[in-house]
Amino acid sequence: MAIEKAKNESAVKASEERAFNAAQKEASGEEEIVLSINRCSKVVKGGRNFSFGALVVVGDKNGKVGYGYGKANEVSDAIRKGGEAARKNMIVVPVRGTTIPHTVEAKFRGSKVLIRPASEGTGMIAGGTMRAILGLAGVVDVLAKSLGSSNPANVVKATFAAIEMMHSKAEVLEKRGKI
């Protein structure tokens, strides 16, 4: 009896926590996209033990975006951990209207990305991984190309390197001492 009661209480507590986290996500206006899930197996005496890694991107569609990688023995836990890591590592994307301020090219290991501003009404012309990141950042019009390796983890890191290389007009003028 006591064991069943304890299990029920822990189940209720877990469901309340999930509801609270979902409400918190809605209140902050952040969206979450799972880009890839990796399965790893370890062979042990009793059989195979699987563990999972999830690459998650979180953004508010208003200039803030972040990515995280979570690892756990269950897919849902890996996604949750990846989302938490992504929220901790959010960066601000400089935007000019509905596009980015200037062309930028970045490389991370085997992946190379090219992101160019586009005129209004062009839409987002980008591959899957970069499309998710730029869409969650709130960029509407952009031309992007992923060159080299298509490994989602490396494309994400190259895209974030490119975003960090971008500077808004105000930042450039401030550096030059014009403001």
Side-chain angles (χ1 to χ4, degrees):
M1 282 299 263
I3 295 172
E4 287 180 25
K5 188 175 182 181
K7 282 184 182 178
N8 288 340
E9 286 178 10
S10 65
V12 168
K13 191 181 250 187
S15 66
E16 286 175 359
E17 187 176 323
R18 279 193 293 271
F20 174 75
N21 289 341
Q24 195 174 15
K25 278 184 204 173
E26 284 182 26
S28 65
E30 293 173 349
E31 284 188 42
E32 188 175 284
I33 295 178
V34 179
L35 292 177
S36 71
I37 295 176
N38 297 326
R39 185 181 77 172
C40 181
S41 65
K42 177 181 176 183
V43 179
V44 294
K45 187 176 178 182
R48 290 190 185 103
N49 286 345
F50 293 107
S51 61
F52 300 91
L55 182 62
V56 180
V57 178
V58 173
D60 65 355
K61 293 195 174 187
N62 199 16
K64 286 180 75 177
V65 69
Y67 76 95
Y69 191 78
K71 294 192 277 189
N73 291 331
E74 305 250 344
V75 176
S76 59
D77 290 340
I79 292 170
R80 181 184 49 78
K81 286 181 181 181
E84 289 172 4
R87 283 179 186 78
K88 288 179 188 172
N89 299 320
M90 290 186 82
I91 61 171
V92 176
V93 180
V95 291
R96 191 183 84 217
T98 60
T99 189
I100 59 171
H102 57 87
T103 302
V104 66
E105 199 173 314
K107 187 175 188 224
F108 183 84
R109 303 219 177 155
S111 294
K112 184 177 173 183
V113 297
L114 172 66
I115 306 173
R116 297 171 54 193
S119 59
E120 198 170 327
T122 303
M124 189 179 306
I125 300 172
T129 306
M130 292 174 65
R131 175 182 287 270
I133 295 167
L134 296 171
L136 288 176
V139 179
V140 178
D141 301 308
V142 70
L143 302 168
K145 182 69 181 165
S146 174
L147 306 161
S149 172
S150 60
N151 178 346
N154 287 345
V155 172
V156 166
K157 290 175 184 175
T159 304
F160 273 83
I163 290 170
E164 288 174 356
M165 292 167 66
M166 283 186 225
H167 300 289
S168 66
K169 185 176 179 180
E171 288 175 27
V172 173
L173 290 174
E174 189 177 313
K175 268 188 185 176
R176 293 180 183 171
K178 306 272 180 165
I179 292 181

